Amino acid sequence: MAKKSAGGTPATVALTRAGIAFTLHEYDHDPRAQSFGLEAAAALGLDPAQVFKTLMTTVDPSTGSGQRGKLTIGIVPVSGQLDLKALARAAGGSKAAMADVAAAERATGYVAGGISPIGQKRPHPTVLDETAMAFDTVYVSGGRRGLDLGIAPADLVRATNATVAPISRS
């Protein structure tokens, strides 16, 4: 069962400022958990297809311009995996790779396992897996381990300026 709390993370502050409705869902996080997303789904009694993880990647530009890769967020169900090729296509790049954990933490201001797609230190291009649109509410990290936010997919798109595309695989 979800516990209610005052929250107070950059994600909740950003949503409140934007006037976007959300719900807070706290659970007791086990630091030994193999998958933080599956842990959240189980602890909150949710379908893992409805709980989404936030993954930081580096997407290389599609042109041979010699530019460095751009940090890009992929949001996919915890029940699946991020398809890096599909993410690169959706972000207009040629290839993608997972970003270094330390780089993701620096760029977002969050700790790995608690990275929210909302309220990051600076905005990053974001792609939300299209399966999110099948739900009235999806759940994403609230900005710390043990805290998820329930939010309408359209509001998540609005809050993150995300592109919606098929970027997950089973």
Side-chain angles (χ1 to χ4, degrees), residues 21 31 40 123 128 131 140 170:
L128 173 64
T131 60
V140 296
S170 299

Side-chain angles (χ1 to χ4, degrees), residues 7-169:
T9 68
T12 62
V13 170
L15 289 172
T16 300
R17 281 190 185 143
I20 295 174
F22 65 94
T23 55
L24 289 174
H25 303 272
E26 282 191 283
Y27 58 94
D28 292 325
H29 165 65
D30 179 356
R32 298 168 300 177
Q34 294 288 327
S35 166
F36 297 137
L38 291 175
E39 174 196 31
L44 297 173
L46 298 168
D47 177 352
Q50 195 173 1
V51 179
F52 284 71
K53 54 189 169 185
T54 304
L55 301 171
M56 177 70 77
T57 67
T58 303
V59 175
D60 291 340
S62 57
T63 63
S65 64
Q67 292 178 331
R68 289 183 24 195
K70 185 171 196 163
L71 291 175
T72 302
I73 300 290
I75 308 171
V76 297
V78 301
S79 58
Q81 295 181 335
L82 176 62
D83 181 333
L84 290 167
K85 287 182 183 180
L87 175 71
R89 279 192 304 275
S94 61
K95 64 180 180 175
M98 294 304 297
D100 177 68
V101 172
E105 291 178 339
R106 275 192 311 276
T108 64
Y110 292 117
V111 174
I115 294 177
S116 179
I118 304 159
Q120 297 182 0
K121 284 169 65 173
R122 55 190 167 275
H124 300 282
T126 301
V127 183
L128 173 64
D129 186 62
E130 68 182 3
T131 60
M133 306 314 283
F135 298 101
D136 293 332
T137 303
V138 293
Y139 298 84
V140 296
S141 175
R144 65 176 165 80
R145 295 173 186 166
L147 178 67
D148 269 27
L149 303 175
I151 186 170
D155 287 338
L156 179 58
V157 168
R158 186 170 63 135
T160 60
N161 197 28
T163 300
V164 178
I167 61 165
S168 69
R169 56 189 159 109

